[in-house]
Amino acid sequence: MAADRAMSQRPAKRKTPKLGNKPAKPKPSLGTARVQRAPEGEDVAPASHKAAGDDFVAKRRRQRRSIDTRKRIIDAALTEFSERGFDGASTRAVADAAGIRHTLVNYHFDSKEGLYRAVMTTVLDDYLGVFRERLQGLRGVDDVIRLRLLQEEFICFVANNPRFNQIMAFEARQSSDRLNWLVVDLIKPIFAAITPLIESAQKSGHYVEGDPYHLQYLFIGATTRIFMLSAEVEAVAGWLPAGEDFLQKHIDACLSLFFRTPAEGSEAASR
């Protein structure tokens, strides 16, 4: 009996797990979210975010195509207007040259008039921006120097934009609403800045005498005409009015026609 009691009081043996049996995984506690990793390279953004991203990319592509189309139309229209003038120009010819459907011209510019204004504004915007910056940056500088730099900037502009000169030659022949728009918005502001500088340079003896408006039109003719007649110049002189070397010679020649150096001892030289 004693032996039986001793056996009953012995602690029970623990069962040893057999080799090959995996221990049970602990169960996740309540409230603990299981994090799943997405396969490498896959987009894990919510479907709504992905759709919004796709829409944004598609919108940007449409915007780039629209900008490219407008530029092609304007480039083709610049050639068309310069060769045929406004009245002779055709928006259908512009579309053909740009390689687009004709309906896109009206879609982007509404009409031939709208296209014309877009062309002229595009060409002049860069020049007018530089012109205004020059005026602002040269405040306090001697009027003769300011005038010289502004006139030099104009020669560079017309050298790089001969088709603009040709359009203006067509447009200036007779009065029109288009010419009135050009004069009020684009041309008069330039003359309003240049003519007082001419008057000031004349008073100091550094500019040829004459009516400032007349002299400025003579300056425009002298600086622009050779670029408009480049084919004739090549046929007659055997060279083209192009390149950096020619441009610098042209600038020097044109400025020398109008700017003067007062003689020593003269009243103008002492000012």
Side-chain angles (χ1 to χ4, degrees), residues 88-104:
S90 162
T91 55
R92 193 169 296 278
V94 170
D96 291 343
I100 60 166
R101 297 192 307 275
H102 180 235
T103 53
L104 284 175

Side-chain angles (χ1 to χ4, degrees), residues 204 261-271:
S204 64
T261 301
E264 285 189 32
S266 67
E267 184 180 348
S270 62
R271 291 175 185 172

Side-chain angles (χ1 to χ4, degrees), residues 53-107:
D54 291 344
D55 289 345
F56 176 77
V57 171
K59 183 179 180 180
R60 290 297 296 271
R61 285 175 179 167
R62 288 194 299 271
Q63 289 173 340
R64 284 196 296 269
R65 284 198 300 270
S66 178
I67 292 171
D68 178 65
T69 299
R70 284 180 63 91
K71 184 179 184 307
R72 285 159 57 193
I73 294 171
I74 287 176
D75 289 345
L78 178 61
T79 300
E80 179 73 5
F81 287 129
S82 69
E83 293 179 351
R84 295 175 173 81
F86 179 85
D87 293 332
S90 162
T91 55
R92 193 169 296 278
V94 170
D96 291 343
I100 60 166
R101 297 192 307 275
H102 180 235
T103 53
L104 284 175
V105 176
N106 288 335
Y107 172 79

Side-chain angles (χ1 to χ4, degrees), residues 28-34:
S29 60
L30 293 177
T32 303
R34 183 175 294 178

Side-chain angles (χ1 to χ4, degrees), residues 124-268:
L124 279 169
D125 266 354
D126 288 341
Y127 170 67
L128 290 174
V130 172
F131 183 83
R132 294 185 185 107
E133 286 178 7
R134 281 283 195 185
L135 283 176
Q136 186 70 22
L138 293 172
R139 281 188 176 181
V141 176
D142 179 78
D143 283 350
V144 176
I145 296 175
R146 293 175 73 196
L147 179 60
R148 193 176 188 91
L149 291 174
L150 290 171
Q151 299 288 52
E152 184 173 336
E153 199 74 54
F154 177 77
I155 298 173
C156 292
F157 167 73
V158 298
N160 293 321
N161 296 276
R163 293 197 180 278
F164 171 78
N165 308 328
Q166 292 165 344
I167 293 175
M168 288 304 302
F170 273 112
E171 204 60 64
R173 293 176 181 176
Q174 56 187 4
S175 297
S176 68
D177 290 339
R178 295 182 306 278
L179 181 59
N180 291 338
W181 167 69
L182 285 168
V183 166
V184 172
D185 287 9
L186 305 172
I187 299 173
K188 269 192 172 181
I190 295 174
F191 271 79
I194 289 290
T195 51
L197 294 177
I198 291 176
E199 290 176 340
S200 177
Q202 287 173 330
K203 289 177 181 177
S204 64
H206 288 88
Y207 208 81
V208 65
E209 291 296 324
D211 178 80
Y213 285 90
H214 183 193
L215 293 175
Q216 186 61 12
Y217 273 110
L218 290 176
F219 180 83
I220 292 170
T223 56
T224 62
R225 197 65 182 172
I226 196 167
F227 299 112
M228 298 168 64
L229 302 175
S230 58
E232 179 183 324
V233 172
E234 184 179 23
V236 174
W239 45 263
L240 277 170
E244 291 298 323
D245 289 342
F246 171 79
L247 178 57
Q248 189 57 56
K249 290 177 182 177
H250 188 56
I251 290 172
D252 293 341
C254 290
L255 294 182
S256 69
L257 293 174
F258 295 89
F259 285 88
R260 296 287 182 267
T261 301
E264 285 189 32
S266 67
E267 184 180 348

